[in-house]
Amino acid sequence: MLATARHVLGRAGREEAEDAVQDALIAAWSTDALPNGDVGAWLRAIAVRKALDGRRRSRRLAEEPLPLEEPVPPATGKDALAGVALERAFRHLAAGDRAVLVLVEVEGLSMAEAARNLGTTTMAVKWRAVRARRRLRALLTGSSDA
């Protein structure tokens, strides 16, 4: 859950991610609507929603944290360089776009499942995923579409 929340919020949101996980656990504990399938996916989806709620709340209150610079691990080959480039590009996506990509690409949820977990329509999730992938590709290739 923490890793999922961190993916959604980016590196600057470590404390926000911890708060989102706590809020998600409280929400999960206090609900009567238990999942029929994968409990882990259900908990991660709640963490995504709580992370996005926290991001909206902090923007509304103008408490955007300053990004923390962390040392980049030494690159040991093409894969390491590609991973660093992907991580950097991922940070430039909007939080909602990151949430969709995390749920669909990392967690393996379908578009309909991601839409249910984010409280939106399947079409909105599809559009966000397309837009996020295009932006990510543009950031990685250095094209002007970013």
Side-chain angles (χ1 to χ4, degrees), residues 23 28 35 46 73 85 87 91-92 97 101-102 114 135:
D23 291 344
I46 295 171
E87 184 179 333
R91 281 188 257 156
H92 291 298
D97 292 348
L101 288 181
V102 166
R135 174 115 169 96

Side-chain angles (χ1 to χ4, degrees), residues 79-93:
D79 291 340
L81 290 175
V84 170
L86 181 61
E87 184 179 333
R88 285 183 179 165
F90 201 70
R91 281 188 257 156
H92 291 298
L93 296 176

Side-chain angles (χ1 to χ4, degrees), residues 66-89:
L66 294 174
L68 301 174
E69 289 298 321
E70 293 189 13
V72 177
T76 58
K78 277 186 182 179
D79 291 340
L81 290 175
V84 170
L86 181 61
E87 184 179 333
R88 285 183 179 165

Side-chain angles (χ1 to χ4, degrees), residues 37-123:
D38 184 5
V39 175
W42 177 68
L43 289 171
R44 288 188 299 274
I46 295 171
V48 166
R49 284 197 310 273
K50 294 300 180 180
L52 291 173
D53 289 348
R55 174 61 53 99
R56 283 187 212 105
R57 187 172 42 252
S58 69
R59 283 195 177 138
R60 220 176 21 250
L61 298 174
E63 294 179 1
E64 191 67 29
L66 294 174
L68 301 174
E69 289 298 321
E70 293 189 13
V72 177
T76 58
K78 277 186 182 179
D79 291 340
L81 290 175
V84 170
L86 181 61
E87 184 179 333
R88 285 183 179 165
F90 201 70
R91 281 188 257 156
H92 291 298
L93 296 176
D97 292 348
R98 281 195 308 261
V100 166
L101 288 181
V102 166
L103 287 175
V104 173
E105 301 296 337
V106 177
E107 299 296 331
L109 297 180
S110 70
M111 296 287 181
E113 291 169 327
R116 257 192 320 277
N117 288 320
L118 293 172
T120 188
T121 64
T122 302
M123 187 53 73

